[in-house]
Amino acid sequence: MRNYLFKRLLISIPTLIAISVVIFTILAIAPGDPMAEFASNPSITEEVKENIRKALGLDQPVYIRYFKWSLAFIQGDMGYSFTSKSPVFGLILQRLPTTLWIVGLAYFFSLLIAFPLGIVSAIKRYSAADQLVTTFSFFGISLPPFFTGLLLIIIFSVQLNWLPFIYNSTLEVNDWASFIEEIKQSIMPIAVLAFYQAALLMRFIRSSILEELNQDYVRTARAKGLSGFWVLMIHILRNAMIPVVTLIALDIPKIFTGALITEQVFRVPGIGALLIDSIYKNDTPVVMAITFIYAILIVVFNLIADLTYGWLDPRVRL
């Protein structure tokens, strides 16, 4: 297992370096000038603009800027935002709790929903329960989150007036009443994300278990007298989890980056909204930091998934 981990690390490190080069190069040559916000200000002369450009390091060649950025990033310095002049790390930390609260809870609830329903749907194939779960999953996959979000806003905010349709970022939870308000304003974005993610996971879990049900080892286990439940728990579930682990490993980093569309619909001040705003404003340091952190998380959780494969199926380590 140690050699297997070492091999995966040897692949992961060059992958991250290549990703950082691609991200930095694309954003460096992308159209748009970070100094555009000063263009309409007559009080800022060309000399001042040039001094600001030098202070931001924009007058240097791309490769020098890349090496300076990468060395600073390794040391924990993600630079300063072009628009707010604040440290990028501080901006991310400011938005991170909201993103973890909304997207993290949504993913947690989606796992609680998807696993039991996906297993029941596979075991009770073609039954009424299977048809109900399959219909639910098809609706969840087919309906885009922005449509589901707008639908919930129309029903629960406009028609029934039960829930607020705009997330109040200034709300401070310091008593029971404010905690209830926080719950109320979080229900709809969490429901939208959990509905979509649970539907996707259910399809994968159901398909993975169905592929294993007709394998020879399952028939052998049943011939030995094992009941359906124990056959599933001891034999099928462990093998069926390999493709599901891949999907979960790729989805968990989204908890950090947030839900871009859902955060825009409900005005949730998460990292996804910060990324969209930074793209509009050509705030390159913020975009690079969020994008590269997401890439790091993808590589790390892929590594975790590979190690999980080795535990689920020892043949992978060979």
Side-chain angles (χ1 to χ4, degrees):
M1 192 67 173
R2 186 178 302 172
N3 292 334
Y4 178 70
L5 175 61
F6 182 71
K7 292 178 182 178
R8 302 308 301 174
L9 286 174
L10 288 180
I11 297 174
S12 300
I13 295 175
T15 301
L16 283 176
I17 295 175
I19 292 173
S20 67
V21 172
V22 171
I23 291 174
F24 192 92
T25 304
I26 291 177
L27 292 176
I29 65 177
D33 187 4
M35 305 297 295
E37 62 173 315
F38 302 111
S40 59
N41 193 341
S43 62
I44 299 180
T45 63
E46 290 297 329
E47 183 180 359
V48 174
K49 293 179 183 178
E50 187 62 26
N51 291 334
I52 295 175
R53 187 178 295 274
K54 289 180 180 179
L56 295 175
L58 298 175
D59 60 324
Q60 298 174 342
V62 174
Y63 65 92
I64 294 180
R65 288 158 52 193
Y66 167 74
F67 282 113
K68 287 186 175 181
W69 172 78
S70 58
L71 289 176
F73 194 94
I74 293 173
Q75 297 173 1
D77 181 8
M78 301 179 188
Y80 289 83
S81 168
F82 287 160
T83 56
S84 65
K85 310 301 183 295
S86 302
V88 175
F89 185 71
L91 292 176
I92 293 176
L93 284 183
Q94 184 180 358
R95 303 287 189 105
L96 186 59
T98 302
T99 295
L100 294 178
W101 167 256
I102 298 296
V103 186
L105 279 180
Y107 200 79
F108 174 73
F109 286 128
S110 69
L111 291 176
L112 290 182
I113 296 170
F115 270 94
L117 292 184
I119 293 173
V120 169
S121 178
I123 296 176
K124 305 293 184 180
R125 190 178 183 184
Y126 301 133
S127 66
D130 180 32
Q131 296 295 331
L132 185 62
V133 171
T134 302
T135 303
F136 173 80
S137 62
F138 277 142
F139 267 108
I141 296 172
S142 303
L143 295 177
F146 74 87
F147 177 81
T148 309
L150 292 176
L151 186 63
L152 291 183
I153 289 175
I154 293 173
I155 296 174
F156 295 103
S157 296
V158 178
Q159 300 294 333
L160 300 176
N161 197 25
W162 287 354
L163 302 172
F165 63 90
I166 293 180
Y167 193 93
N168 182 12
S169 60
T170 62
L171 178 65
E172 295 184 0
V173 179
N174 47 29
D175 54 19
W176 182 253
S178 59
F179 178 72
I180 295 298
E181 289 299 318
E182 179 68 23
I183 295 294
K184 289 175 64 177
Q185 70 176 0
S186 303
I187 287 176
M188 288 196 293
I190 290 176
V192 169
L193 296 173
F195 177 58
Y196 177 80
Q197 192 62 43
L200 193 62
L201 283 171
M202 276 190 292
R203 295 302 301 169
F204 268 83
I205 294 171
R206 180 181 184 275
S207 300
S208 298
I209 293 177
L210 287 178
E211 287 182 4
E212 300 296 326
L213 283 176
N214 295 323
Q215 298 295 326
D216 291 338
Y217 72 90
V218 177
R219 287 194 290 266
T220 301
R222 285 175 173 168
K224 291 180 178 179
L226 291 179
S227 65
F229 176 78
W230 288 111
V231 168
L232 175 68
M233 296 301 295
I234 297 175
H235 299 278
I236 300 177
L237 197 58
R238 182 168 178 171
N239 292 321
M241 284 301 101
I242 292 179
V244 179
V245 165
T246 304
L247 180 63
I248 294 176
L250 294 176
D251 281 338
I252 288 180
K254 295 179 183 177
I255 297 176
F256 168 81
T257 55
L260 303 181
I261 297 176
T262 306
E263 288 184 7
Q264 292 295 312
V265 171
F266 294 99
R267 300 295 187 269
V268 178
I271 294 180
L274 175 63
L275 178 60
I276 295 296
D277 292 340
S278 301
I279 292 173
Y280 285 150
K281 298 176 181 178
N282 294 319
D283 200 346
T284 308
V286 178
V287 177
M288 283 194 300
I290 295 176
T291 307
F292 190 55
I293 290 175
Y294 181 64
I296 292 174
L297 293 175
I298 287 287
V299 172
V300 168
F301 278 97
N302 267 309
L303 178 62
I304 294 174
D306 290 338
L307 296 178
T308 308
Y309 297 159
W311 174 72
L312 293 174
D313 189 352
R315 294 174 297 177
V316 176
R317 302 197 297 264
L318 300 179

